[in-house]
Amino acid sequence: MKKIDLIIIFLLFLPVLILGQENAAARRSASMSIKGSVKEKSTRKAIPGAEVTIFGKGTITTDIFGDFKIQAQVGDELVISHDTFNTVRYTIVDGQRIDIEVDDHPVVKKSKIASEKKRESTYQKNLKAAKGALKKDAATSIEYITNALETVRDDDPSSDNKKAELFETLADIYRHWKQPDLAESNYLMSLKNRANTTVKIKLGNAQLENKNFQGALNTFSQLERSRLNSEQKVKVYQGLGDSYKGLQNFANARLNYNKALSISQRKGFDDIVISLNSLLAGVLQEEGNTRDAEGYLDNSVQLADQKDKKTSARQRAVAADFYNKSNRFDKEIQLRKEALEDIEEIQEQEITSGVAPVEEDNALTPQVQNYKIARAFAAQEEYDEAIPYLEESIKEAESKNDLIVQKDATRKLGEVYREKGELEKASNAFKEYEVIIDKLYIQKDQEISQAARFSRELAQRANRITTLEKDRELNEARYELAFASQQLINQQSLRQQNVIYFLIGLTLLLLLAAYLMFRNMKQQRYANNLLALKSLRSQMNPHFIFNALNSVNTFIATSDERTANRYLTDFSLLMRAVLENSEEDFIPLEKEIELLRLYVQLEHFRFQDKFEYTVEVDSEIDVNEYMIPPMLLQPYVENAVWHGLRYKSEKGILSIRFQKITSDSIEITIMDNGIGRKKSKELKTQNQKLQKSRGMGNIKKRIAILNKMYKDKVDVFISDLENDQEGTQVKLMLKKDK
């Protein structure tokens, strides 16, 4: 082949080679969304708050489930860091999900060396580790406190100070993790070992967080008579103001806030001055003195402008909330726009600097401020101005997985479109709102489960500390007993009779202690059952309310306004009855029948073409003599309507009958001629098959616990109505209290 021919072939293929290289480079440089998680290797426990960094592009943190989502390119290096594990580096090779498993953080173990110096070192290490993990992992932090407490010896002259310090730190842990009742009790334990003004102030603040306003007032009133420095005086007067405000005594609240403000201005406590101006504005607004309230509020905004951007934005948001309550929407919108500019500037600085953003207030986010601006425009019927802010709020909330704001903004967008007459856009917005409601329900359900698990972990570790203190007291008693026994042995034989009496008394004491321990264990089991019932009820109510709200949304979207208002009126009566009974283990049968009638009436109102119903109560039954767990029958009726009658081609029948069987028992029959359990199961979607019925599962657990506590009070039998497995019959046997 000639040289000229080779040159021609090369020139023909050159564009193809260049294009291929450009496409490959484009693929390498394309930004993509990477999802992943960070978990412990041995326990698979999620690690929230871990920082995931790409240098030069910013940092994000994992959520409560240990998950993260970040924009990256192939070849970028992720740096995953947290105080509980060594830093991990990961290079991105494709767009697949990344699951990072890290080694557990080693817990500082109790030193078994008798040396006082090493024991002191172990105590300090555990205490320091507890304070370091305080805001990251409550369970680990409490474990450190327990290990430190085990090193404290009663013959140590500093034991009281150490105990005081440990119980103060333990209370700080509980207070940070929103357990103010436990924080209050541990601050009291700390003060029992050592009096301390700072701890007393913390105790008062914990009582405020626990809504124990009278207790907080007593605590701060005692402190007011103590010798305090300027900073402590400000905290005490502010605490008194908060206590009086909680007790609706606004005059005394204002008096104490002014005392705190005077000291803060004199000493130059600028941040506290800003906060106190806002508090005074709030109290004056409660008293109806709007003019003076605005003066304090303007002062707080002006002072905040002289501070950093975050303080300025926060104070503008507080002032905007104030003007919203006064219906001064123009002023509110102006302040929120200024706050929004500050928030966006803060976020840009964090991205540019590559520094991880600090934990922010829930209200101090772009999605919240955009939503509130839109709401203010809508209140003035300026719908065209409201729509862009609502769309921006939805976009921001979706990017940050803020389902609550996304839900509120989407619903408001639908209302705005409806008011404008753009019904198709309104309908689309309301459909999206329903989808978000379902997602929010799933998230809330996960949060409830995680909160229950978190509470159990805290309770277990709190019990360990309590047991440790009891063991310490028992060891002291044993030491004293051994010393007394040695003295008795050295005495003359004439005193042997006293020794015998002492041993007999000790035996009786041990028997009494064994009896008390047995009774305490029995009471603990009973308390655990009550806690389980309360947890199941707390899960039952959101499940029922969300199911009912989905019915309400669907009905509103397909009916006229007058009919919808009537439906919502009946629904509100049902919700009132449900909430009134939600905290009771048992309610009179009469109330349950009333609630059931109202619920069936609402379902029939929606599915009039699907079924008719009857509710029959035997005249021989005294409905006030029988007690029944609240919301026990509603899930069975709901299953009959939603999984049996709703899919029936012709109109079905729902029958509910209360019949007396014996003098102290009745039979409750819930019967429908729907499609039956087998066919209903076949009609379920793949997604529905993966999800268990939470309502029915909770009912089974509640019945099992209640029967265990009250000796087989309720029996349930479920069967097919016909041989062809169509229709369902539920029978409940309810016994009278003896």
Side-chain angles (χ1 to χ4, degrees), residues 176-452:
H176 175 78
W177 292 96
K178 311 302 181 186
Q179 303 285 332
D181 52 337
L182 294 174
E184 181 178 348
S185 61
N186 280 281
Y187 282 134
L188 289 171
M189 286 289 292
S190 176
L191 292 170
K192 180 180 177 182
N193 286 279
R194 181 186 64 189
N196 185 287
T197 300
T198 301
V199 176
K200 288 182 180 178
I201 293 174
K202 289 182 178 180
L203 170 64
N205 288 324
Q207 290 169 328
L208 287 173
E209 293 166 4
N210 201 28
K211 307 299 182 186
N212 181 9
F213 298 116
Q214 188 58 54
L217 180 62
N218 294 337
T219 299
F220 286 119
S221 296
Q222 294 173 4
L223 282 167
E224 188 181 13
R225 297 187 290 270
S226 306
R227 296 183 62 181
L228 307 169
N229 59 38
S230 299
E231 186 176 354
Q232 290 171 337
K233 286 180 181 179
V234 169
K235 291 179 179 178
V236 168
Y237 285 130
Q238 183 174 341
L240 286 169
D242 292 339
S243 302
Y244 281 120
K245 182 180 178 182
L247 295 169
Q248 304 294 303
N249 188 340
F250 299 119
N252 277 327
R254 180 162 37 82
L255 176 65
N256 283 281
Y257 284 149
N258 275 314
K259 289 181 180 178
L261 180 61
S262 176
I263 298 172
S264 299
Q265 289 173 333
R266 190 168 65 250
K267 294 295 182 179
F269 301 153
D270 294 340
D271 291 337
I272 301 176
V273 170
I274 295 171
S275 174
L276 288 168
N277 273 280
S278 297
L279 291 171
L280 281 164
V283 171
L284 288 166
Q285 188 179 40
E286 293 286 349
E287 292 180 315
N289 189 350
T290 306
R291 181 178 178 182
D292 289 345
E294 289 181 8
Y296 280 105
L297 204 61
D298 290 341
N299 285 340
S300 67
V301 173
Q302 291 174 8
L303 288 170
D305 284 340
Q306 302 171 16
K307 307 292 287 184
D308 58 274
K309 289 289 183 181
K310 189 165 187 177
T311 303
S312 175
R314 182 185 295 110
Q315 203 55 39
R316 283 192 169 91
V318 171
D321 290 337
F322 172 88
Y323 287 114
N324 175 268
K325 292 180 181 179
S326 304
N327 293 329
R328 294 182 59 184
F329 300 115
D330 289 338
K331 186 71 172 176
E332 178 193 359
I333 291 170
Q334 176 191 342
L335 286 167
R336 291 201 190 283
K337 286 182 177 180
E338 294 172 355
L340 191 58
E341 290 177 0
D342 289 339
I343 294 169
E344 291 173 349
E345 186 175 339
I346 292 169
Q347 292 181 339
E348 288 177 1
Q349 291 175 352
E350 290 170 345
I351 294 173
T352 303
S353 62
V355 178
V358 296
E359 185 178 354
E360 58 185 7
D361 299 336
N362 289 335
L364 210 61
T365 58
Q367 62 266 29
V368 170
Q369 296 306 316
N370 276 300
Y371 167 66
K372 290 186 175 181
I373 291 172
R375 191 177 60 184
F377 275 124
Q380 301 176 95
E381 299 184 358
E382 297 178 13
Y383 302 124
D384 290 331
E385 287 78 2
I387 290 173
Y389 285 99
L390 286 172
E391 292 174 342
E392 183 64 23
S393 176
I394 294 169
K395 178 182 175 183
E396 287 281 349
E398 185 177 9
S399 68
K400 296 179 180 177
N401 198 29
D402 190 345
L403 289 178
I404 294 177
V405 176
Q406 188 181 358
K407 167 186 70 72
D408 293 338
T410 303
R411 180 174 179 176
K412 194 68 179 179
L413 183 61
E415 293 173 354
V416 168
Y417 278 130
R418 184 178 60 195
E419 293 297 326
K420 286 188 65 182
E422 299 182 22
L423 300 183
E424 184 177 354
K425 291 183 178 180
S427 176
N428 292 335
F430 284 126
K431 287 179 182 178
E432 181 64 22
Y433 169 73
E434 291 181 10
V435 173
I436 297 170
I437 283 289
D438 291 338
K439 292 181 181 178
L440 185 60
Y441 169 71
I442 294 171
Q443 186 185 75
K444 289 296 180 184
D445 185 58
Q446 292 172 336
E447 289 176 357
I448 288 172
S449 299
Q450 188 174 26

Side-chain angles (χ1 to χ4, degrees), residues 6 38 82 287 382 467 511 697:
L6 293 173
V38 182
H82 193 269
E287 292 180 315
E382 297 178 13
T467 303
L511 290 174

Side-chain angles (χ1 to χ4, degrees), residues 599-614:
Y599 173 76
V600 177
Q601 178 182 336
L602 287 172
E603 292 290 22
H604 180 257
F605 195 68
R606 182 178 177 190
F607 301 111
Q608 294 182 17
D609 59 335
K610 289 296 184 181
F611 74 98
E612 297 292 338
Y613 72 94
T614 60

Side-chain angles (χ1 to χ4, degrees), residues 19 71 125 223 236 269 326 366 421 492 524 572 575 584 653-654 667-668 707 721:
L19 182 60
Q71 292 293 322
K125 286 180 180 178
L223 282 167
V236 168
F269 301 153
S326 304
Q492 297 177 355
Q524 186 65 40
S572 66
M575 286 300 96
E584 301 294 333
I653 297 175
L654 173 65
E667 182 183 79
I668 305 170
N707 283 339
L721 189 60

